[in-house]
Amino acid sequence: MREVFTEMPQDEIQSNQLSHIYCELAELVGIEAALKIHAAYRGQQINFPVNLFTKEFVQKQIICEYDGTNVKQLASKFGYSEKWIRTILKTKERN
């Protein structure tokens, strides 16, 4: 693998000097974070799942927030169908 030029002081680096994805990252989270991501993951393919939270966490939240009438609101909030929300609630009732 090629040597990486990292001796440049961080305060002299501008996002437009970085390769495309690192430029986007730097504009999103800052130069320092982009450099840390580069150092940790350079050369690797990374896939970010659509869902941020685990299914188990979302299920627990749905059960906690359900008030008997808010299936539609929960579906909208968590990005799932009303049918899936009802399935989660039925599963809870069986346990």
Side-chain angles (χ1 to χ4, degrees):
M1 192 176 282
R2 286 187 295 164
E3 187 89 19
V4 180
F5 177 68
T6 56
E7 298 300 317
M8 187 176 205
Q10 285 184 15
D11 60 344
E12 291 181 16
I13 299 173
Q14 297 177 9
S15 62
N16 65 351
Q17 297 168 326
L18 303 174
S19 295
H20 177 70
I21 190 63
Y22 295 111
C23 177
E24 288 183 26
L25 281 169
E27 290 175 1
L28 184 65
V29 298
I31 298 284
E32 183 178 349
L35 294 175
K36 286 180 182 179
I37 292 168
H38 173 264
Y41 300 107
R42 73 185 193 106
Q44 296 182 39
Q45 291 287 336
I46 299 175
N47 181 1
F48 293 98
V50 171
N51 297 323
L52 180 62
F53 297 104
T54 66
K55 185 177 176 180
E56 293 77 16
F57 174 78
V58 173
Q59 290 172 341
K60 287 177 185 175
Q61 286 301 115
I62 289 167
I63 291 166
C64 288
E65 295 181 27
Y66 181 61
D67 68 7
T69 64
N70 60 342
V71 170
K72 187 173 185 172
Q73 291 83 1
L74 291 171
S76 178
K77 176 178 181 176
F78 292 104
Y80 290 98
S81 69
E82 290 180 40
K83 182 178 178 180
W84 189 81
I85 301 295
R86 285 188 187 91
T87 300
I88 296 306
L89 295 169
K90 285 179 186 176
T91 302
K92 181 238 180 204
E93 289 173 4
R94 282 188 245 137
N95 294 334

